[in-house]
Amino acid sequence: RKVIDIAGDDFGMRDPSWLSRFGNATRLATHYRRGRVVLAGDAAHQHYPTGGVGMNVGFQDAFNLGWKLAATIDGWASDGLLDTYHSDRYPVGEQLMEHSRAQTYLFHAFTPEGLALRDLLSRMVPESREFSDFLAGRLTALDVAYPSTDPTAHPVTGTRAPDLPLTGTEGTLFAALRADSYVLLDLTADGALSGRAQERITVHGGAPDPSRDAWEDVRAALIRPDGHVAWAWTEEDDTKLAAQVDAVVTTALGR
Ligand SMILES: Cc1cc2nc3c(=O)[nH]c(=O)nc-3n(C[C@H](O)[C@H](O)[C@H](O)COP(=O)(O)OP(=O)(O)OC[C@H]3O[C@@H](n4cnc5c(N)ncnc54)[C@H](O)[C@@H]3O)c2cc1C
């Protein structure tokens, strides 16, 4: 009946074997963590299912939280690591609310003004590379970054590290990621950081990806278990670089 009301035809649909209903309860929890209670997935954020990203964002919550919970339970988490679950993921939830609200509005925009806005935005997708890249980044979540509060942090800090090929192995960075340790990426030409492996830190040599401008001056990077950049260094003096790395690694491992 509803389909006929909307489309003028029921397209031959008969005798459904399963029906479900959903509403538009756009809600975001104010805190993702309170003490021993953590929220993830639809328990933290619910929205109209536009864009088809709800489950994916929930998976990413779990991915962000999992290694932090494990590190806390195993006793190697830095101070406040578990709280970064909220500071990392809550802004992503806010963006999700904004994005799904905007899409919901466009879906139901049947006024002449609403239809004009939808047509205009639809045309912008193929015509503006920047606009379509923005939408693609948002929908795929490849644009998700957890920026540092430190103003001196390198711009790649918090972004998802690229899957750089590693030297001395057939593998790439993503294959080297482990839930229970950081990866120290040594991008110096002479492997200046190769001796710095320790418990919870694996060291891999690599080469900066020339197609990624932001990585051009990076000589070393500490990669979190979930593939995001915890810290990046540009120091050109190897001795100073090693000292800077040691200081950050010590803090990251709560030592
Ligand atoms: C029509 C529709 C289309 C969608 N399409 C997409 C899509 O294309 N892509 C996408 O990424 N997402 C999509 N989503 C969103 C996605 O379905 C949800 O974001 C996702 O299922 C949430 O997973 P969750 O594990 O957080 O919660 P849920 O899937 O709701 O799981 C919670 C579970 O907890 C159980 N439970 C509740 N209370 C208790 C209790 N007291 N004790 C024990 N168990 C309990 C429930 O029975 C349920 O099994 C869509 C949603 C809808 C409604």
Side-chain angles (χ1 to χ4, degrees):
R1 173 81 222 166
K2 287 271 182 209
V3 178
I4 293 173
D5 284 351
I6 293 169
D9 191 343
D10 67 5
F11 306 106
M13 288 189 283
R14 297 281 182 286
D15 306 322
S17 55
W18 183 77
L19 283 172
S20 176
R21 60 201 296 174
F22 58 89
N24 184 15
T26 301
R27 288 184 295 197
L28 179 65
T30 52
H31 295 85
Y32 279 30
R33 176 188 177 215
R34 274 271 171 85
R36 291 169 61 84
V37 178
V38 284
L39 300 177
D42 278 20
H45 40 74
Q46 270 189 332
H47 60 92
Y48 197 72
T50 46
V53 296
M55 182 183 64
N56 293 290
V57 177
F59 280 149
Q60 292 151 23
D61 291 341
F63 206 56
N64 186 287
L65 177 61
W67 69 276
K68 296 175 182 174
L69 265 183
T72 305
I73 292 166
D74 290 346
W76 60 277
S78 57
D79 277 352
L81 181 68
L82 208 46
D83 287 325
T84 66
Y85 170 59
H86 174 86
S87 52
D88 278 357
R89 296 301 299 170
Y90 181 80
V92 177
E94 283 186 306
Q95 284 182 358
L96 177 65
M97 299 294 113
E98 178 196 58
H99 195 72
S100 70
R101 276 191 168 118
Q103 283 201 52
T104 307
Y105 179 78
L106 289 173
F107 272 4
H108 299 104
F110 296 118
T111 62
E113 292 79 8
L115 290 171
L117 178 63
R118 199 157 69 188
D119 282 350
L120 183 75
L121 292 175
S122 300
R123 274 208 313 281
M124 280 178 70
V125 172
E127 282 175 18
S128 165
R129 179 67 197 253
E130 205 176 330
F131 184 61
S132 58
D133 280 354
F134 171 80
L135 291 180
R138 185 59 65 83
L139 279 173
T140 57
L142 291 175
D143 68 348
V144 168
Y146 308 128
S148 170
T149 51
D150 184 336
T152 65
H154 190 277
V156 301
T157 310
T159 61
R160 191 167 171 269
D163 193 17
L164 295 174
L166 303 177
T167 50
T169 153
E170 295 294 301
T172 60
L173 176 60
F174 290 176
L177 295 174
R178 294 283 174 274
D180 63 354
S181 49
Y182 286 82
V183 169
L184 178 58
L185 199 52
D186 181 352
L187 303 177
T188 63
D190 49 355
L193 301 170
S194 58
R196 302 210 110 64
Q198 53 173 302
E199 196 184 6
R200 312 290 180 195
I201 300 278
T202 58
V203 183
H204 292 278
D209 180 347
S211 68
R212 293 170 196 272
D213 294 346
W215 281 76
E216 205 171 40
D217 59 349
V218 175
R219 296 196 75 227
L222 187 66
I223 314 297
R224 308 187 333 186
D226 62 3
H228 284 262
V229 179
W231 199 255
W233 295 268
T234 55
E235 175 58 55
E236 298 205 351
D237 180 296
D238 285 353
T239 309
K240 287 184 188 162
L241 176 68
Q244 291 174 6
V245 167
D246 288 346
V248 168
V249 164
T250 303
T251 308
L253 296 180
R255 291 177 184 156

